[in-house]
Amino acid sequence: MSLLLPTNLLQCRSSSLLLLSPSSSTTAFSAIAPCRICLRLVTSCVAYDQSSVVNSSAPKAVVVERDQIRLGLVSKGRMATNSLNLLKDCQLFVKQVNPRQYVAQIPQLPNTKVCFQRPKDIVTKLLSGDLDLGIVGLDKLREYGQIPNYGIFENIKSLKELAQMPQWSEERPLRVATGFTYLGPKFMKENGIKHVTFSTASGALEAAPAMGIADVVLDLVSSGTTLKENNLKEIEGGVVLQCKAVLVASRRALTKRKEALNTVQEILERLEAHLKADSQFTVVANFRGSSAEEVAERVLSQPSLSGWQGPTISPVYCRRGGKISIDYYAIVICVPKKTLYDSVKHLRAVGGSGVLVSPLTYIFDEDTPRWGQFLRNLGI
């Protein structure tokens, strides 16, 4: 979770894995695994002047120079059908490879790219310079054609700079659009931003600055692609919370009901075993040798082949001349994914052949460290 302002190039930091321990009398938490998503505060990245498509005054938008003309068409509905029919009647045929693609060509206009957008996005992208032409309803043009001047954030790069801006007062507070009405005010207060008002919304928050209903946005961010497409930027110090998946249980249920505690133990053990195995491969290889000890000596000469506690070595039996003999020994080791190919090369270098590789599903230890910590946190 992070604080973001309206700029050009963005990079969303990956979320980190943090272990949560119980902090209240009602719930207990156990961190399971990270997910690449953050809650961030964002605002517009383009310095606009007060302008309107209606009066044809061009906004001072930061755009990339390009030769190709971009034509925006409504992506669905009656307006979409009527626009395509109108162009067709003018002998301008829009060619899509398939109906799910949002980019198309008009062969009669070889220097023109067609971009299928929502009506509102056509208007806002005409203002920002991302589109050059568009066909859209007059109602949408009048509704979204006016945009506020929020270029005041153009040079703001950190939360500290945002807090020090002289614009914010009781009469003109910083307007934040968010769905997090507890975390948002708490974060602002902790960072010394006093004059703030919050408007709540459950979706499409990225449009709030461009529509003039908010100055900044506090929302979840994953890859950052949506931010870029809506001219938003992350600011330094604006990460409110690194988000991850957690397993949550009632402290009362865990302390009063043995069945609940047993269920949590099984889930935790399965999850931890699976997550531990997710980064490992099982590698099996055959070695010709006179004894298991002699094969072990060769294998252990390569530090990368030691496995968890050393290789498992077993005789490979075959029948020769009617008798059972041992010419080969099979070794089994666990190898990290990132060093798999190097380990295979090392196996070959010391005489390994017939190398088999398979992914691991679970690795169960003698005990589950996270479960022990969990019990200590519960006071059990």
Side-chain angles (χ1 to χ4, degrees):
M1 179 164 78
S2 183
L3 181 65
L4 302 153
L5 300 177
T7 199
N8 275 340
L9 299 177
L10 307 174
Q11 288 185 344
C12 174
R13 294 193 293 270
S14 299
S15 62
S16 60
L17 176 61
L18 303 176
L19 183 62
L20 300 181
S21 59
S23 58
S24 70
S25 60
T26 58
T27 57
F29 302 86
S30 176
I32 301 305
C35 61
R36 296 182 178 276
I37 189 168
C38 298
L39 182 57
R40 302 183 182 275
L41 184 65
V42 299
T43 187
S44 175
C45 65
V46 177
Y48 290 118
D49 285 338
Q50 195 81 330
S51 59
S52 169
V53 175
V54 176
N55 58 25
S56 300
S57 59
K60 296 179 180 178
V62 180
V63 296
V64 179
E65 292 295 331
R66 48 184 163 75
D67 295 326
Q68 193 174 52
I69 301 299
R70 293 177 182 172
L71 168 63
L73 297 180
V74 176
S75 56
K76 60 184 178 179
R78 181 179 298 178
M79 176 62 71
T81 301
N82 291 344
S83 297
L84 292 175
N85 289 338
L86 174 63
L87 291 172
K88 183 178 179 181
D89 290 341
C90 297
Q91 299 300 303
L92 297 174
F93 301 94
V94 178
K95 299 294 184 181
Q96 291 176 273
V97 176
N98 65 68
R100 292 183 178 272
Q101 282 193 335
Y102 289 93
V103 177
Q105 303 291 331
I106 299 178
Q108 294 77 19
L109 302 174
N111 197 38
T112 300
K113 176 189 289 186
V114 175
C115 302
F116 291 97
Q117 302 282 299
R118 294 179 301 176
K120 179 183 71 175
D121 293 336
I122 291 178
V123 178
T124 57
K125 288 181 179 180
L126 282 168
L127 290 169
S128 67
D130 293 321
L131 290 176
D132 303 299
L133 304 169
I135 298 178
V136 69
L138 179 61
D139 57 329
K140 303 299 182 183
L141 181 62
R142 292 289 175 84
E143 176 69 18
Y144 304 111
Q146 299 287 341
I147 60 173
N149 179 5
Y150 49 89
I152 55 176
F153 298 109
E154 183 177 13
N155 297 317
I156 300 299
K157 297 180 175 62
S158 69
L159 184 64
K160 182 179 179 181
E161 292 175 349
L162 179 67
Q164 293 175 346
M165 293 178 69
Q167 285 89 341
W168 319 129
S169 64
E170 292 185 8
E171 294 75 23
R172 175 57 174 96
L174 176 70
R175 301 169 302 165
V176 181
T178 185
F180 298 89
T181 54
Y182 168 73
L183 292 175
K186 179 175 180 290
F187 178 76
M188 291 298 187
K189 182 178 180 180
E190 290 173 348
N191 287 274
I193 303 179
K194 299 179 181 178
H195 305 296
V196 186
T197 60
F198 292 86
S199 59
T200 59
S202 58
L205 291 178
E206 295 85 1
M211 294 172 65
I213 61 177
D215 300 305
V216 296
V217 173
L218 178 65
D219 201 11
L220 292 169
V221 175
S222 181
S223 65
T225 302
T226 304
L227 298 181
K228 297 176 185 178
E229 293 176 348
N230 287 275
N231 296 321
L232 299 172
K233 70 176 178 181
E234 177 188 353
I235 60 172
E236 181 183 347
V239 177
V240 180
L241 178 70
Q242 297 284 1
C243 304
K244 60 189 173 185
V246 294
L247 176 65
V248 185
S250 164
R251 178 184 290 270
R252 179 178 300 174
L254 295 177
T255 55
K256 301 296 183 180
R257 298 170 57 199
K258 184 67 174 176
E259 310 84 37
L261 195 63
N262 291 339
T263 300
V264 170
Q265 181 179 11
E266 180 173 348
I267 293 174
L268 276 179
E269 286 190 340
R270 286 174 178 269
L271 288 170
E272 189 154 299
H274 176 65
L275 293 172
K276 192 171 185 178
D278 190 51
S279 61
Q280 302 287 327
F281 278 108
T282 298
V283 177
V284 181
N286 288 337
F287 279 79
R288 183 184 290 275
S290 58
S291 67
E293 290 76 12
E294 185 263 329
V295 171
E297 187 69 32
R298 278 190 281 157
V299 172
L300 291 175
S301 67
Q302 301 288 336
S304 65
L305 304 180
S306 59
W308 286 102
Q309 296 173 326
T312 299
I313 301 177
S314 306
V316 177
Y317 297 95
C318 62
R319 186 181 297 276
R320 292 186 181 278
K323 296 182 178 181
I324 300 298
S325 64
I326 300 174
D327 295 327
Y328 287 89
Y329 290 84
I331 73 155
V332 181
I333 57 174
C334 291
V335 174
K337 286 182 179 180
K338 61 183 179 181
T339 63
L340 174 63
Y341 187 65
D342 287 340
S343 298
V344 172
K345 289 194 295 183
H346 295 160
L347 278 172
R348 290 171 173 169
V350 294
S353 63
V355 180
L356 304 178
V357 178
S358 58
L360 284 170
T361 304
Y362 297 102
I363 298 178
F364 288 99
D365 289 327
E366 293 180 8
D367 58 7
T368 304
R370 198 167 296 182
W371 174 245
Q373 180 63 46
F374 190 76
L375 293 179
R376 288 190 291 273
N377 291 336
L378 286 174
I380 298 177

